[in-house]
Amino acid sequence: MPDSSLIDYARLEQDLDGKAAAYAAAAPFPHVVIDGVLLPEVFDKAAGEFPGITDEFWKGYLHVNETKYSNTQPDSWGPTLHDVAKEFCSSEFVAYLEKLTGIDDLIPDWSMDGGGLHQTLTGGHLNIHADFTTHHTHEDWARRVNILLYLNTEWRDEWGGKLELWDKDMTACQAKVTPAGNRMLVFTTAYDTFHGHPDGLTCPPDVARRSMALYYFTQGTDVERRSTNYRARPEESGLKKAAIGADRIALDVYDRVKRRLGIKDESVNRLLTRIDRLRRRK
């Protein structure tokens, strides 16, 4: 049986056929937003355990296209956060995702390749992008489904940070998701499922946009590797478009070298984090 002491499976499975139909029909790509995923007392504990802004385990992803931090080490998390992530990797939850998304044989990823806990601080952003398509260790794993569980105890509209979902031709934003606490966004990921929150956050300096992300894969022999594909919005200037494009190319080269040589992100992230902290002190 699924662990009903953590996740409100009764809420998740209520009208599952209807949710699956809505998921498949959603624009600009298959997705669904579900509130109240964790039981209320579990959410309170998980949010309370979320690492502080200056926690030593944060790794910075700090470049033109994004300024956020991640923690991909569940053993460093509090017990409730750890157990929730474990349940998201369970056979019961994966079976639920398969019914919801219509994608069979999903593989959860406890290694948190690109996932884990995420925080974005005031001024931070994540440009519109489609995610990398293959696992960095298991290169025959194609990334198919993302879940984002928001862990904010408070989030005001004026702080920005709504996740924008854009059409495949990058002509218009067709949906926005507010990062409200205990809200889960599930969406199919492909080379043209563009999303992000590209405008700098205006939350107070002691507040962060907080989430847990997990990704699910399928195994195959015809998997095509694509690195994260950042894109400019139509209204953005030529100079900004050029910077976004140049950064995207640099990241693609880094991704290829990292895969070939087995380079870890830690040393690069430590350097970028130091630079960002110096910038923020000015």
Side-chain angles (χ1 to χ4, degrees):
M1 293 292 292
D3 189 344
S4 58
S5 67
L6 297 171
I7 293 174
D8 191 345
Y9 276 100
R11 178 186 289 270
L12 293 186
E13 293 173 356
Q14 184 177 12
D15 189 24
L16 182 51
D17 289 342
K19 285 188 177 76
Y23 182 94
F29 46 80
H31 73 275
V32 69
V33 176
I34 305 172
D35 287 316
V37 174
L38 304 182
L39 294 171
E41 62 274 17
V42 176
F43 172 75
D44 290 342
K45 289 180 181 178
E49 291 172 5
F50 200 89
I53 285 174
T54 60
D55 187 85
E56 62 179 318
F57 290 100
W58 288 120
K59 298 187 300 184
Y61 292 85
L62 309 164
H63 48 91
V64 169
N65 280 308
E66 63 179 320
T67 48
K68 72 175 184 181
Y69 296 82
S70 75
N71 178 332
T72 58
Q73 301 180 54
D75 288 344
S76 74
W77 306 353
T80 309
L81 286 170
H82 179 279
D83 290 349
V84 166
K86 208 62 170 171
E87 183 61 21
F88 283 149
C89 292
S90 70
S91 59
E92 292 83 5
F93 186 80
V94 172
Y96 167 79
L97 283 183
E98 290 174 344
K99 293 175 185 176
L100 177 66
T101 65
I103 300 173
D104 294 329
D105 301 318
L106 289 175
I107 302 169
D109 178 33
W110 185 249
S111 75
M112 304 290 169
D113 186 32
L117 300 181
H118 292 160
Q119 72 166 359
T120 305
L121 309 181
T122 184
H125 73 291
L126 175 60
N127 280 341
I128 305 300
H129 66 285
D131 292 308
F132 63 85
T133 58
T134 62
H135 196 283
H136 284 84
T137 304
H138 307 283
E139 295 199 359
D140 60 343
W141 287 13
R143 188 166 166 182
R144 304 295 301 281
V145 175
N146 291 8
I147 69 167
L148 300 174
L149 175 69
Y150 294 109
L151 292 163
N152 304 296
T153 54
E154 177 187 17
W155 195 263
R156 301 181 184 177
D157 281 345
E158 60 264 31
W159 294 345
K162 290 183 180 180
L163 192 73
E164 301 181 4
L165 310 183
W166 282 68
D167 66 274
K168 64 180 181 179
D169 297 317
M170 281 297 298
T171 61
C173 172
Q174 296 190 356
K176 293 184 179 181
V177 181
T178 298
N182 211 10
R183 170 172 290 171
M184 182 172 71
L185 170 66
V186 184
F187 65 97
T188 295
T189 185
Y191 66 90
D192 58 0
T193 51
F194 293 110
H195 59 284
H197 54 98
D199 297 313
L201 301 183
T202 59
C203 55
D206 60 343
V207 172
R209 183 183 186 275
R210 310 189 306 180
S211 62
M212 176 188 292
L214 282 92
Y215 307 131
Y216 301 80
F217 300 78
T218 56
Q219 189 171 22
T221 57
D222 57 349
V223 176
E224 182 180 3
R225 186 209 73 86
R226 295 189 186 212
S227 60
T228 303
N229 183 10
Y230 293 97
R231 301 289 291 273
R233 292 173 292 179
E235 70 271 18
E236 289 174 323
S237 69
L239 184 60
K240 186 167 185 178
K241 287 181 181 178
I244 290 171
D247 191 55
R248 180 179 66 240
I249 292 170
L251 291 169
D252 180 55
V253 171
Y254 172 67
D255 185 70
R256 291 175 184 273
V257 171
K258 181 172 68 172
R259 288 174 186 267
R260 178 167 296 184
L261 301 181
I263 295 173
K264 301 294 184 182
D265 288 329
E266 280 75 8
S267 58
V268 174
N269 287 327
R270 279 196 296 269
L271 175 61
L272 292 174
T273 299
R274 291 193 193 101
I275 292 172
D276 184 65
R277 285 174 178 167
L278 288 172
R279 176 186 64 79
R280 294 170 65 83
R281 288 171 185 164
K282 291 181 180 180

